[in-house]
Amino acid sequence: MLKLTFLGTSAGVPTKQRNVTALAIECLNPHSSGVQQGSRQQNNQSKKSRPWVLIDCGEGTQQQLLHTKLSLHQLAAICITHVHGDHCYGLPGLLASAAMSGRREPLTLIAPKAIATLLEAITATTELYLPFALDFIAIEEVLAEQGDTNKVNISLSDQHQLDIDITRLSHRVASHAFGITQTISRRILNTDKLVADSILASALWGKLQQGEDVTTEGNRQLRSVDYVDNEIQRTRVVVAGDNDAPSLLSKAVINADLLVHEATYTHEVLTKIRAKNPDYDPMHSSAQLLGEFAQAAGLKNLILTHFSARYQGFDNPNSKTPNMAYIRLDAESVYKGNLWLAVDFDQYMVDGAVELADNQEGSQEENRVQYIGSARSD
């Protein structure tokens, strides 16, 4: 399960209602201690076992975090899609605040090489001190060294893994998308079979569930594989940076539960901008362009974000003032799947399909994305 919290949804500059780009993704394991079984949407998982990933960090992101329950101590990784300021100017301040809050655990940072140069300059000129290791992973090196895989693995526990893959996009500077794939595995003890085989409950049951072969007091050999089903749940979300060519994501969105992508303008406005100044192309996507791609790719769930400040936050297609209805209708004209337009502090739960080992059929729920309200706690 991945829980998304939008911390900023404006393009280029903040507005009174929207901050610039940032997205928090909590990596939740419904089988961890403290989570109620059979109530997957009620997440009571301990904060200490609720790691999260930050995608982009526009100016003011740390201020947005103060309105949520997210902790910088549980931040597992930061991913920066590209070097434009509305996606990275908040990074130095956030790191400094993490240090001042007492963080000591290493932090993974996946970003363009230029971000390392930025942090080095700020460290040298402002005496920024980080009492924790910053594990910097340059996107350019990942793409060059790992070929088609382009993955970074973050092990959250033996049964909880996070893979982050990278896709090149098209923008005025090098821009990228991050594919976040969470894999949760667990062993389910077949107690009915144990009882049917006259194997009474004992400590041996626990050993079998942990994958151990055991011997009963009657010298009977029991194999774990005969009494344990291995369940795997994979949840995949693709989060794109600025991009004017959604088709570059064709491979990345295969088996994705959700795509989060910028829709800076309507198609009409984007066309006018290009026509007005043929020498300048903002290299952003319109809602219609993205909708066409999502429909052709068979994506069931799509969240639009990164909206131009010209669009007001209300939804009224009859208003002469540009507003979110313009964006919504632009996308809906071509896309027939589940569509959301992100608002700051919006939260969504993404629940991937459950598979059983040995090609057994698992959960095939279609509605894997659910809007769950606002994260703002004040």
Side-chain angles (χ1 to χ4, degrees), residues 4 28-29 33 86 103 113 124 129 210 215 277 288 319 355 360:
L4 279 59
L28 307 180
N29 184 349
S33 176
D86 58 325
R103 182 185 174 111
K113 288 181 178 179
Y129 170 69
Q210 294 303 313
T215 303
N277 186 355
Q288 182 185 110
S319 174
E355 307 168 2
Q360 298 180 61

Side-chain angles (χ1 to χ4, degrees), residues 2-16:
L2 297 175
K3 183 179 180 181
L4 279 59
T5 302
F6 284 86
L7 300 171
T9 58
S10 183
V13 297
T15 71
K16 290 181 179 180

Side-chain angles (χ1 to χ4, degrees), residues 18 307 311-315 322-328 341:
R18 299 179 184 272
F307 306 114
Y311 299 103
Q312 298 300 304
F314 63 89
D315 187 302
N323 63 82
M324 298 314 297
Y326 289 33
I327 294 287
R328 176 176 57 79
L341 276 59

Side-chain angles (χ1 to χ4, degrees), residues 211-226:
E212 296 182 34
D213 295 337
V214 299
T215 303
T216 67
E217 292 182 356
N219 206 32
R220 183 178 175 184
Q221 303 293 319
L222 303 178
R223 298 192 310 161
S224 174
V225 69
D226 293 331

